[in-house]
Amino acid sequence: MADTEALRVRFARALQGARGGTQGPDPAPYADNLLARWQEPQRHYHTLTHLTAVLDHIDELEAYADDPDVVRLAAWFHDAVYLPERSENEERSARLAERALSEAGVPDDRTAEVARLVRLTVTHDPADDDRNGQVLCDADLAILGSPPSAYAHYTAAVREEYHFVPAGAFREGRAAVLRQLLDLPRLFRTPYGQEHWEATARYNIRGELEMLSLPVPPPT
């Protein structure tokens, strides 16, 4: 179970860092709005547990980022709008970040960078010189390099979020996403991610693809 009070503190620190130390509105209402979003009932994987994991991975990777607090804020917003049946979640999340962070006293250039990073999670394909993007994408994809039991829990939670999609269509769509990931020259762009997560992630993805290719059992 995620510690919401600890998350409020982490949000306040990131917001203050992104403000550059200047004062602004109380962070609490912004944190509470985001926490409520991350606890919506349609979520099974994109929950506070996922948010906490992404923030923890950013802490591991922060030496590779140009602006770690901006990356942390991007993590908070990257799935803030999440409706599994909709395709524009990242864009709507980015626009939410633009409105909220501007109001919360974050300078325009940093607000724009948060929104850019949120939009980058559509492809998880940052440029070679995009240090902030590499850290956010690696942190978001780190679940792919987790131990098999955690990976199995992740795939089950994703399936639950898409419970309204028929089995055959889900398998086809999920397999396409996984193949797109495998086609990337590197899943992880930071040296840490490449060393610690890349090989395991590719093993997990190939295993899931094999499972998706098995015949669908008939209904009982």
Side-chain angles (χ1 to χ4, degrees):
M1 192 69 178
D3 184 340
T4 54
E5 189 53 44
L7 284 168
R8 285 188 185 92
V9 172
R10 293 175 84 166
F11 177 82
R13 286 175 179 163
L15 182 64
Q16 189 63 18
R19 286 171 174 166
T22 61
Q23 292 302 309
D26 182 358
Y30 299 95
D32 288 343
N33 178 273
L34 288 164
L35 289 168
R37 289 173 177 274
W38 282 90
Q39 295 178 87
E40 292 164 343
Q42 76 275 14
R43 298 169 182 260
H44 299 278
Y45 170 65
H46 294 89
T47 63
L48 289 180
T49 300
H50 171 59
L51 172 61
T52 302
V54 174
L55 291 170
D56 289 347
H57 291 313
I58 292 170
D59 288 348
E60 288 181 273
L61 300 170
E62 68 173 328
Y64 301 105
D66 288 331
D67 196 336
D69 283 322
V70 161
V71 180
R72 291 183 178 100
L73 289 178
W76 275 91
F77 281 95
H78 83 287
D79 286 318
V81 178
Y82 187 74
L83 295 170
E85 69 277 12
R86 303 287 286 270
S87 61
E88 71 277 14
N89 290 316
E90 291 86 359
E91 179 60 30
R92 293 176 68 202
S93 295
R95 291 178 184 177
L96 175 67
E98 288 167 342
R99 293 193 303 271
L101 294 177
S102 177
E103 181 184 292
V106 176
D108 289 348
D109 58 338
R110 282 175 148 171
T111 294
E113 176 67 352
V114 171
R116 183 190 72 82
L117 292 169
V118 171
R119 292 183 173 103
L120 183 61
T121 61
V122 175
T123 62
H124 292 98
D125 191 14
D128 289 340
D129 61 349
D130 183 2
R131 286 166 52 88
N132 289 338
Q134 289 175 0
V135 168
L136 179 63
C137 290
D138 277 17
D140 194 27
L141 293 181
I143 183 65
L144 300 178
S146 60
S149 59
Y151 188 85
H153 182 77
Y154 149 70
T155 59
V158 170
R159 179 66 183 110
E160 199 167 353
E161 285 186 342
Y162 288 89
H163 63 89
F164 54 88
V165 178
F170 177 81
R171 283 174 172 235
E172 183 178 335
R174 177 71 179 170
V177 169
L178 295 176
R179 290 191 193 97
Q180 185 178 24
L181 288 172
L182 281 181
D183 285 344
L184 292 172
R186 291 172 295 161
L187 286 166
F188 299 100
R189 307 304 178 88
T190 64
Y192 185 97
Q194 290 171 38
E195 179 182 349
H196 291 87
W197 301 325
E198 183 83 22
T200 303
R202 289 187 177 274
Y203 174 85
N204 285 335
I205 292 172
R206 290 190 186 101
E208 186 183 356
L209 275 170
E210 288 181 16
M211 292 290 293
L212 291 170
S213 70
L214 296 175
V216 180
T220 57

